[in-house]
Amino acid sequence: MTELHPEVAAVTARIVARSRDSRRAYLDLIERERDSGVHRPTLACGNLAHGFAASGEDKAAIRAGRSMNIGIVTAYNDMLSAHQPYGRYPDQIKVFARERGATAQVAGGTPAMCDGVTQGQRGMELSLFSRDTIALSAAVALSHGMFDGAALLGICDKIVPGLLIGALRFGHLPTILIPAGPMPSGLANKEKVRIRQLYAEGKVGREELLESESASYHGAGTCTFYGTANSNQMMMDMMGLHMPGASFINPGTKLRQAVTRAAIHRLTEIGATGNDYRPLGRCVDEKAIVNATVGLLATGGSTNHAIHLPAIARAAGIVIDWEDIDRLSAAVPLICRVYPNGAGDVNHFHAAGGISFVMAALLDAGMLHDDILTVAGGSLRDHARDPKLSGDELVFEDAVPESLDDTMIRRPDRPFQADGGMRLVRGNLGRATFKTSAVEAQRQIIEAPARVFSDQDEVLAAFKAGELERDVVVVVRFQGPRANGMPELHKLTPPLGVLQDRGFKVALVTDGRMSGASGKVPAAIHLTPEALAGGAIAQIRDGDIVRLSAPEGRLEVLVDEGEFAARDRAPAPKPKAGTGRELFAFMRSGADGAEQGASAMLAAAGL
């Protein structure tokens, strides 16, 4: 058995020590819920009759209460390409459950918001808080006490974290997450970026841009770049919450259906009444959270998970911070190059060996905890396998022994970078995340005059007016969770990329978010405290010299300390109404910091 890397062990021990009381309280909660919570046997006859009234051929089995009844929580809608395949899943799942003498019911639906549709639009101000809305929806779905296990159907950015946060409050239930897979590859990502930059420069029109985007996002399934959605899938694999190798099988295939069937069959085997009880709250422990973080860093995953991982952990009584992520990043090498960190997309990644190879390689290097409770198998090593069809039979094969494309995946002893590329930067402006894995080494230190904005549209206007044609640190403030819900500032990527390509030293500093597929421009994001919560970013002025250095882990404004402290704070913009934004005011006003997970819900619950 490979010895665990000392820094992975040290960070895990740090998290365990910090979480001791909260984790104990959480485990006590789920034990009480298992033993004396709301369950079918304890429901009054009227409650129970309501619960199975419309269950058709499953009514007798649910009424008898002798077999597992699975609660399906689905994020289906047919506008969102990643979730459109889920439309037929409930009927299939019911059939798969009956094959094992069990039953299944759709417990409830959750929103499934698409960042791709709302990028740069007003609706993006609802995006981060849709995660907590999804968690609340999942909790409502599972609150009826009718279920002995849960199947969670969700993939994309806020949806998997939301489903997991909600389900963890019912952590006594065995739970499996079931993905639907990525769409087949379309237009090459580099070509898509080229057209976007040409459009930003006014060299192609809207019709050419729309044609490019349509060729990239062209069918059912998850977007194929390695952003937040596909990072979600990787993390669920690293935590052992999927069936082995489930993430990146395309929708509508016989293999995809076979893996979904296996997940439901497996769920019937890990209930509380059997000999292999695997409750979600026991599966998601400190080691599983560290595994998810290591996977994120090794694969160059989404910066959004610097916010989501602390929130998921809190729901299970575990406390992590950005120093944990930073320390792991310094120890874990980057072994994957998936767009935007490389040329190939997740389909190419999967064909090159995919998550099973990455998991096996990281286990061999002592970078992952093998001894975790997973939904299938005796250890995480059992998840480093790929599902295949042998005739009509589903089999799981060991990961390929070597990468099938070392321009995309490598072993940890010959990585693309020595570190995981998600670093904590801190200084007199606060604490922020800097994703270095897509940024060239010579661009990871930027020192330049600031140009300050309070809205991403102001940045675009200044770019179009030629006002940013110089070395510049673009500062965009009042973009945090309390200010406007922390929308992704995705519209800034093309113009900043154009400036960088013209030879200027360019960086972004913001208390907001960038796309989970943040690209080549150096950016200090998620800056906390945010401007509206007393953050020093509210005191920066145009022309101040700002230094951002990933190697030093520093983010600071080079202004005399006394002068800077004496400055007035910039006034906050008035909150905007429309597109439902006013309905989320209570979430904005109660949100805690990005490093804690930016959640009013968890803060109010005392978690």
PDB file of all heavy atoms in Angstrom, residues 525-555:
ATOM      1  N   ILE A 525      -9.374  36.469  -7.954  1.00  0.00           N
ATOM      2  CA  ILE A 525     -10.837  36.481  -7.897  1.00  0.00           C
ATOM      3  C   ILE A 525     -11.317  36.040  -6.515  1.00  0.00           C
ATOM      4  O   ILE A 525     -10.546  35.573  -5.685  1.00  0.00           O
ATOM      5  CB  ILE A 525     -11.427  35.584  -9.000  1.00  0.00           C
ATOM      6  CG1 ILE A 525     -10.916  34.145  -8.861  1.00  0.00           C
ATOM      7  CG2 ILE A 525     -11.075  36.129 -10.378  1.00  0.00           C
ATOM      8  CD1 ILE A 525     -11.519  33.176  -9.872  1.00  0.00           C
ATOM      9  N   HIS A 526     -12.623  36.211  -6.300  1.00  0.00           N
ATOM     10  CA  HIS A 526     -13.245  35.852  -5.016  1.00  0.00           C
ATOM     11  C   HIS A 526     -12.626  36.654  -3.866  1.00  0.00           C
ATOM     12  O   HIS A 526     -12.602  36.175  -2.718  1.00  0.00           O
ATOM     13  CB  HIS A 526     -13.107  34.361  -4.682  1.00  0.00           C
ATOM     14  CG  HIS A 526     -13.443  33.420  -5.787  1.00  0.00           C
ATOM     15  ND1 HIS A 526     -12.952  32.132  -5.845  1.00  0.00           N
ATOM     16  CD2 HIS A 526     -14.202  33.560  -6.893  1.00  0.00           C
ATOM     17  CE1 HIS A 526     -13.404  31.526  -6.924  1.00  0.00           C
ATOM     18  NE2 HIS A 526     -14.166  32.378  -7.583  1.00  0.00           N
ATOM     19  N   LEU A 527     -12.091  37.828  -4.139  1.00  0.00           N
ATOM     20  CA  LEU A 527     -11.409  38.605  -3.096  1.00  0.00           C
ATOM     21  C   LEU A 527     -12.332  38.800  -1.899  1.00  0.00           C
ATOM     22  O   LEU A 527     -13.476  39.241  -2.039  1.00  0.00           O
ATOM     23  CB  LEU A 527     -10.967  39.956  -3.653  1.00  0.00           C
ATOM     24  CG  LEU A 527     -10.246  40.895  -2.682  1.00  0.00           C
ATOM     25  CD1 LEU A 527      -8.950  40.271  -2.180  1.00  0.00           C
ATOM     26  CD2 LEU A 527      -9.954  42.238  -3.363  1.00  0.00           C
ATOM     27  N   THR A 528     -11.834  38.459  -0.729  1.00  0.00           N
ATOM     28  CA  THR A 528     -12.613  38.580   0.488  1.00  0.00           C
ATOM     29  C   THR A 528     -11.771  39.235   1.566  1.00  0.00           C
ATOM     30  O   THR A 528     -10.567  38.973   1.645  1.00  0.00           O
ATOM     31  CB  THR A 528     -13.124  37.182   0.950  1.00  0.00           C
ATOM     32  OG1 THR A 528     -13.999  37.325   2.071  1.00  0.00           O
ATOM     33  CG2 THR A 528     -11.999  36.239   1.308  1.00  0.00           C
ATOM     34  N   PRO A 529     -12.312  40.155   2.385  1.00  0.00           N
ATOM     35  CA  PRO A 529     -13.698  40.588   2.380  1.00  0.00           C
ATOM     36  C   PRO A 529     -14.050  41.375   1.114  1.00  0.00           C
ATOM     37  O   PRO A 529     -13.215  42.085   0.565  1.00  0.00           O
ATOM     38  CB  PRO A 529     -13.813  41.488   3.616  1.00  0.00           C
ATOM     39  CG  PRO A 529     -12.522  41.443   4.318  1.00  0.00           C
ATOM     40  CD  PRO A 529     -11.509  40.818   3.440  1.00  0.00           C
ATOM     41  N   GLU A 530     -15.300  41.234   0.685  1.00  0.00           N
ATOM     42  CA  GLU A 530     -15.765  41.953  -0.487  1.00  0.00           C
ATOM     43  C   GLU A 530     -15.977  43.428  -0.154  1.00  0.00           C
ATOM     44  O   GLU A 530     -16.024  43.832   1.015  1.00  0.00           O
ATOM     45  CB  GLU A 530     -17.058  41.342  -1.009  1.00  0.00           C
ATOM     46  CG  GLU A 530     -18.246  41.433  -0.050  1.00  0.00           C
ATOM     47  CD  GLU A 530     -19.534  40.925  -0.686  1.00  0.00           C
ATOM     48  OE1 GLU A 530     -20.078  41.670  -1.534  1.00  0.00           O
ATOM     49  OE2 GLU A 530     -19.992  39.816  -0.336  1.00  0.00           O
ATOM     50  N   ALA A 531     -16.128  44.233  -1.184  1.00  0.00           N
ATOM     51  CA  ALA A 531     -16.245  45.683  -0.996  1.00  0.00           C
ATOM     52  C   ALA A 531     -17.399  46.041  -0.069  1.00  0.00           C
ATOM     53  O   ALA A 531     -17.269  46.918   0.795  1.00  0.00           O
ATOM     54  CB  ALA A 531     -16.417  46.368  -2.348  1.00  0.00           C
ATOM     55  N   LEU A 532     -18.542  45.350  -0.237  1.00  0.00           N
ATOM     56  CA  LEU A 532     -19.725  45.699   0.548  1.00  0.00           C
ATOM     57  C   LEU A 532     -19.628  45.220   1.990  1.00  0.00           C
ATOM     58  O   LEU A 532     -20.437  45.615   2.827  1.00  0.00           O
ATOM     59  CB  LEU A 532     -20.977  45.121  -0.113  1.00  0.00           C
ATOM     60  CG  LEU A 532     -22.304  45.771   0.275  1.00  0.00           C
ATOM     61  CD1 LEU A 532     -22.339  47.227  -0.166  1.00  0.00           C
ATOM     62  CD2 LEU A 532     -23.481  45.022  -0.325  1.00  0.00           C
ATOM     63  N   ALA A 533     -18.638  44.386   2.294  1.00  0.00           N
ATOM     64  CA  ALA A 533     -18.472  43.869   3.657  1.00  0.00           C
ATOM     65  C   ALA A 533     -17.206  44.422   4.304  1.00  0.00           C
ATOM     66  O   ALA A 533     -16.607  43.780   5.156  1.00  0.00           O
ATOM     67  CB  ALA A 533     -18.425  42.345   3.629  1.00  0.00           C
ATOM     68  N   GLY A 534     -16.811  45.626   3.900  1.00  0.00           N
ATOM     69  CA  GLY A 534     -15.669  46.279   4.524  1.00  0.00           C
ATOM     70  C   GLY A 534     -14.338  45.989   3.880  1.00  0.00           C
ATOM     71  O   GLY A 534     -13.287  46.342   4.436  1.00  0.00           O
ATOM     72  N   GLY A 535     -14.337  45.365   2.707  1.00  0.00           N
ATOM     73  CA  GLY A 535     -13.098  45.012   2.049  1.00  0.00           C
ATOM     74  C   GLY A 535     -12.324  46.222   1.555  1.00  0.00           C
ATOM     75  O   GLY A 535     -12.887  47.229   1.120  1.00  0.00           O
ATOM     76  N   ALA A 536     -10.985  46.091   1.593  1.00  0.00           N
ATOM     77  CA  ALA A 536     -10.113  47.201   1.192  1.00  0.00           C
ATOM     78  C   ALA A 536     -10.193  47.496  -0.299  1.00  0.00           C
ATOM     79  O   ALA A 536      -9.761  48.569  -0.744  1.00  0.00           O
ATOM     80  CB  ALA A 536      -8.665  46.868   1.570  1.00  0.00           C
ATOM     81  N   ILE A 537     -10.767  46.599  -1.089  1.00  0.00           N
ATOM     82  CA  ILE A 537     -10.914  46.863  -2.513  1.00  0.00           C
ATOM     83  C   ILE A 537     -11.751  48.118  -2.758  1.00  0.00           C
ATOM     84  O   ILE A 537     -11.604  48.778  -3.791  1.00  0.00           O
ATOM     85  CB  ILE A 537     -11.537  45.629  -3.235  1.00  0.00           C
ATOM     86  CG1 ILE A 537     -11.468  45.800  -4.756  1.00  0.00           C
ATOM     87  CG2 ILE A 537     -12.931  45.348  -2.755  1.00  0.00           C
ATOM     88  CD1 ILE A 537     -11.934  44.576  -5.543  1.00  0.00           C
ATOM     89  N   ALA A 538     -12.588  48.484  -1.798  1.00  0.00           N
ATOM     90  CA  ALA A 538     -13.411  49.687  -1.932  1.00  0.00           C
ATOM     91  C   ALA A 538     -12.596  50.969  -1.793  1.00  0.00           C
ATOM     92  O   ALA A 538     -13.115  52.070  -2.032  1.00  0.00           O
ATOM     93  CB  ALA A 538     -14.544  49.674  -0.898  1.00  0.00           C
ATOM     94  N   GLN A 539     -11.319  50.864  -1.394  1.00  0.00           N
ATOM     95  CA  GLN A 539     -10.476  52.044  -1.205  1.00  0.00           C
ATOM     96  C   GLN A 539      -9.435  52.234  -2.313  1.00  0.00           C
ATOM     97  O   GLN A 539      -8.688  53.211  -2.301  1.00  0.00           O
ATOM     98  CB  GLN A 539      -9.774  51.957   0.154  1.00  0.00           C
ATOM     99  CG  GLN A 539     -10.750  52.051   1.343  1.00  0.00           C
ATOM    100  CD  GLN A 539     -10.161  51.498   2.625  1.00  0.00           C
ATOM    101  OE1 GLN A 539     -10.472  50.402   3.066  1.00  0.00           O
ATOM    102  NE2 GLN A 539      -9.276  52.272   3.222  1.00  0.00           N
ATOM    103  N   ILE A 540      -9.386  51.322  -3.282  1.00  0.00           N
ATOM    104  CA  ILE A 540      -8.451  51.483  -4.389  1.00  0.00           C
ATOM    105  C   ILE A 540      -8.917  52.629  -5.287  1.00  0.00           C
ATOM    106  O   ILE A 540     -10.119  52.813  -5.527  1.00  0.00           O
ATOM    107  CB  ILE A 540      -8.342  50.184  -5.210  1.00  0.00           C
ATOM    108  CG1 ILE A 540      -7.868  49.016  -4.334  1.00  0.00           C
ATOM    109  CG2 ILE A 540      -7.384  50.358  -6.382  1.00  0.00           C
ATOM    110  CD1 ILE A 540      -7.820  47.690  -5.054  1.00  0.00           C
ATOM    111  N   ARG A 541      -7.956  53.386  -5.808  1.00  0.00           N
ATOM    112  CA  ARG A 541      -8.255  54.480  -6.731  1.00  0.00           C
ATOM    113  C   ARG A 541      -7.517  54.254  -8.043  1.00  0.00           C
ATOM    114  O   ARG A 541      -6.488  53.565  -8.079  1.00  0.00           O
ATOM    115  CB  ARG A 541      -7.843  55.824  -6.128  1.00  0.00           C
ATOM    116  CG  ARG A 541      -8.650  56.207  -4.890  1.00  0.00           C
ATOM    117  CD  ARG A 541      -8.159  57.517  -4.314  1.00  0.00           C
ATOM    118  NE  ARG A 541      -8.910  57.896  -3.107  1.00  0.00           N
ATOM    119  CZ  ARG A 541      -8.586  58.923  -2.317  1.00  0.00           C
ATOM    120  NH1 ARG A 541      -7.509  59.661  -2.595  1.00  0.00           N
ATOM    121  NH2 ARG A 541      -9.325  59.203  -1.253  1.00  0.00           N
ATOM    122  N   ASP A 542      -8.050  54.847  -9.102  1.00  0.00           N
ATOM    123  CA  ASP A 542      -7.360  54.792 -10.392  1.00  0.00           C
ATOM    124  C   ASP A 542      -5.918  55.262 -10.235  1.00  0.00           C
ATOM    125  O   ASP A 542      -5.642  56.277  -9.590  1.00  0.00           O
ATOM    126  CB  ASP A 542      -8.066  55.699 -11.410  1.00  0.00           C
ATOM    127  CG  ASP A 542      -9.372  55.117 -11.916  1.00  0.00           C
ATOM    128  OD1 ASP A 542      -9.613  53.918 -11.730  1.00  0.00           O
ATOM    129  OD2 ASP A 542     -10.173  55.886 -12.504  1.00  0.00           O
ATOM    130  N   GLY A 543      -5.001  54.518 -10.827  1.00  0.00           N
ATOM    131  CA  GLY A 543      -3.587  54.886 -10.797  1.00  0.00           C
ATOM    132  C   GLY A 543      -2.799  54.255  -9.677  1.00  0.00           C
ATOM    133  O   GLY A 543      -1.556  54.239  -9.730  1.00  0.00           O
ATOM    134  N   ASP A 544      -3.455  53.736  -8.635  1.00  0.00           N
ATOM    135  CA  ASP A 544      -2.732  53.005  -7.590  1.00  0.00           C
ATOM    136  C   ASP A 544      -1.984  51.829  -8.223  1.00  0.00           C
ATOM    137  O   ASP A 544      -2.519  51.140  -9.097  1.00  0.00           O
ATOM    138  CB  ASP A 544      -3.692  52.452  -6.536  1.00  0.00           C
ATOM    139  CG  ASP A 544      -4.267  53.514  -5.612  1.00  0.00           C
ATOM    140  OD1 ASP A 544      -3.767  54.651  -5.632  1.00  0.00           O
ATOM    141  OD2 ASP A 544      -5.233  53.192  -4.883  1.00  0.00           O
ATOM    142  N   ILE A 545      -0.772  51.595  -7.764  1.00  0.00           N
ATOM    143  CA  ILE A 545      -0.025  50.444  -8.251  1.00  0.00           C
ATOM    144  C   ILE A 545      -0.450  49.203  -7.466  1.00  0.00           C
ATOM    145  O   ILE A 545      -0.398  49.184  -6.228  1.00  0.00           O
ATOM    146  CB  ILE A 545       1.501  50.662  -8.107  1.00  0.00           C
ATOM    147  CG1 ILE A 545       1.921  51.916  -8.872  1.00  0.00           C
ATOM    148  CG2 ILE A 545       2.250  49.429  -8.631  1.00  0.00           C
ATOM    149  CD1 ILE A 545       1.634  51.888 -10.356  1.00  0.00           C
ATOM    150  N   VAL A 546      -0.890  48.201  -8.194  1.00  0.00           N
ATOM    151  CA  VAL A 546      -1.323  46.938  -7.599  1.00  0.00           C
ATOM    152  C   VAL A 546      -0.350  45.847  -8.033  1.00  0.00           C
ATOM    153  O   VAL A 546       0.028  45.763  -9.210  1.00  0.00           O
ATOM    154  CB  VAL A 546      -2.753  46.569  -8.035  1.00  0.00           C
ATOM    155  CG1 VAL A 546      -3.142  45.186  -7.512  1.00  0.00           C
ATOM    156  CG2 VAL A 546      -3.749  47.621  -7.544  1.00  0.00           C
ATOM    157  N   ARG A 547       0.066  45.037  -7.070  1.00  0.00           N
ATOM    158  CA  ARG A 547       0.982  43.924  -7.353  1.00  0.00           C
ATOM    159  C   ARG A 547       0.268  42.602  -7.070  1.00  0.00           C
ATOM    160  O   ARG A 547      -0.273  42.379  -5.978  1.00  0.00           O
ATOM    161  CB  ARG A 547       2.236  44.017  -6.489  1.00  0.00           C
ATOM    162  CG  ARG A 547       3.235  42.874  -6.733  1.00  0.00           C
ATOM    163  CD  ARG A 547       4.515  43.072  -5.932  1.00  0.00           C
ATOM    164  NE  ARG A 547       5.426  41.946  -6.063  1.00  0.00           N
ATOM    165  CZ  ARG A 547       6.282  41.770  -7.061  1.00  0.00           C
ATOM    166  NH1 ARG A 547       6.336  42.667  -8.034  1.00  0.00           N
ATOM    167  NH2 ARG A 547       7.093  40.715  -7.104  1.00  0.00           N
ATOM    168  N   LEU A 548       0.265  41.747  -8.086  1.00  0.00           N
ATOM    169  CA  LEU A 548      -0.296  40.403  -7.982  1.00  0.00           C
ATOM    170  C   LEU A 548       0.816  39.423  -8.311  1.00  0.00           C
ATOM    171  O   LEU A 548       1.384  39.465  -9.405  1.00  0.00           O
ATOM    172  CB  LEU A 548      -1.463  40.239  -8.955  1.00  0.00           C
ATOM    173  CG  LEU A 548      -2.024  38.826  -9.139  1.00  0.00           C
ATOM    174  CD1 LEU A 548      -2.571  38.264  -7.835  1.00  0.00           C
ATOM    175  CD2 LEU A 548      -3.118  38.832 -10.218  1.00  0.00           C
ATOM    176  N   SER A 549       1.148  38.553  -7.361  1.00  0.00           N
ATOM    177  CA  SER A 549       2.250  37.612  -7.558  1.00  0.00           C
ATOM    178  C   SER A 549       1.857  36.232  -7.058  1.00  0.00           C
ATOM    179  O   SER A 549       1.730  36.020  -5.843  1.00  0.00           O
ATOM    180  CB  SER A 549       3.510  38.087  -6.818  1.00  0.00           C
ATOM    181  OG  SER A 549       4.511  37.091  -6.854  1.00  0.00           O
ATOM    182  N   ALA A 550       1.656  35.311  -7.993  1.00  0.00           N
ATOM    183  CA  ALA A 550       1.357  33.938  -7.595  1.00  0.00           C
ATOM    184  C   ALA A 550       2.544  33.277  -6.898  1.00  0.00           C
ATOM    185  O   ALA A 550       2.363  32.610  -5.873  1.00  0.00           O
ATOM    186  CB  ALA A 550       0.926  33.132  -8.806  1.00  0.00           C
ATOM    187  N   PRO A 551       3.793  33.415  -7.409  1.00  0.00           N
ATOM    188  CA  PRO A 551       4.914  32.752  -6.729  1.00  0.00           C
ATOM    189  C   PRO A 551       5.082  33.180  -5.278  1.00  0.00           C
ATOM    190  O   PRO A 551       5.468  32.372  -4.423  1.00  0.00           O
ATOM    191  CB  PRO A 551       6.128  33.165  -7.571  1.00  0.00           C
ATOM    192  CG  PRO A 551       5.579  33.453  -8.931  1.00  0.00           C
ATOM    193  CD  PRO A 551       4.230  34.052  -8.678  1.00  0.00           C
ATOM    194  N   GLU A 552       4.803  34.458  -4.986  1.00  0.00           N
ATOM    195  CA  GLU A 552       4.922  34.956  -3.607  1.00  0.00           C
ATOM    196  C   GLU A 552       3.627  34.802  -2.820  1.00  0.00           C
ATOM    197  O   GLU A 552       3.610  35.034  -1.601  1.00  0.00           O
ATOM    198  CB  GLU A 552       5.305  36.435  -3.628  1.00  0.00           C
ATOM    199  CG  GLU A 552       6.621  36.742  -4.319  1.00  0.00           C
ATOM    200  CD  GLU A 552       6.808  38.227  -4.524  1.00  0.00           C
ATOM    201  OE1 GLU A 552       6.045  38.827  -5.312  1.00  0.00           O
ATOM    202  OE2 GLU A 552       7.710  38.798  -3.887  1.00  0.00           O
ATOM    203  N   GLY A 553       2.540  34.469  -3.501  1.00  0.00           N
ATOM    204  CA  GLY A 553       1.247  34.402  -2.833  1.00  0.00           C
ATOM    205  C   GLY A 553       0.792  35.759  -2.313  1.00  0.00           C
ATOM    206  O   GLY A 553       0.172  35.848  -1.258  1.00  0.00           O
ATOM    207  N   ARG A 554       1.068  36.823  -3.092  1.00  0.00           N
ATOM    208  CA  ARG A 554       0.805  38.181  -2.616  1.00  0.00           C
ATOM    209  C   ARG A 554      -0.194  38.907  -3.516  1.00  0.00           C
ATOM    210  O   ARG A 554      -0.185  38.757  -4.734  1.00  0.00           O
ATOM    211  CB  ARG A 554       2.093  39.009  -2.562  1.00  0.00           C
ATOM    212  CG  ARG A 554       3.168  38.464  -1.653  1.00  0.00           C
ATOM    213  CD  ARG A 554       2.708  38.372  -0.212  1.00  0.00           C
ATOM    214  NE  ARG A 554       2.390  39.687   0.354  1.00  0.00           N
ATOM    215  CZ  ARG A 554       1.770  39.872   1.528  1.00  0.00           C
ATOM    216  NH1 ARG A 554       1.393  38.811   2.245  1.00  0.00           N
ATOM    217  NH2 ARG A 554       1.541  41.086   1.978  1.00  0.00           N
ATOM    218  N   LEU A 555      -1.042  39.706  -2.890  1.00  0.00           N
ATOM    219  CA  LEU A 555      -1.936  40.636  -3.567  1.00  0.00           C
ATOM    220  C   LEU A 555      -1.986  41.888  -2.714  1.00  0.00           C
ATOM    221  O   LEU A 555      -2.478  41.856  -1.582  1.00  0.00           O
ATOM    222  CB  LEU A 555      -3.341  40.045  -3.709  1.00  0.00           C
ATOM    223  CG  LEU A 555      -4.410  41.002  -4.238  1.00  0.00           C
ATOM    224  CD1 LEU A 555      -4.071  41.490  -5.649  1.00  0.00           C
ATOM    225  CD2 LEU A 555      -5.786  40.351  -4.214  1.00  0.00           C
TER     226      LEU A 555
END
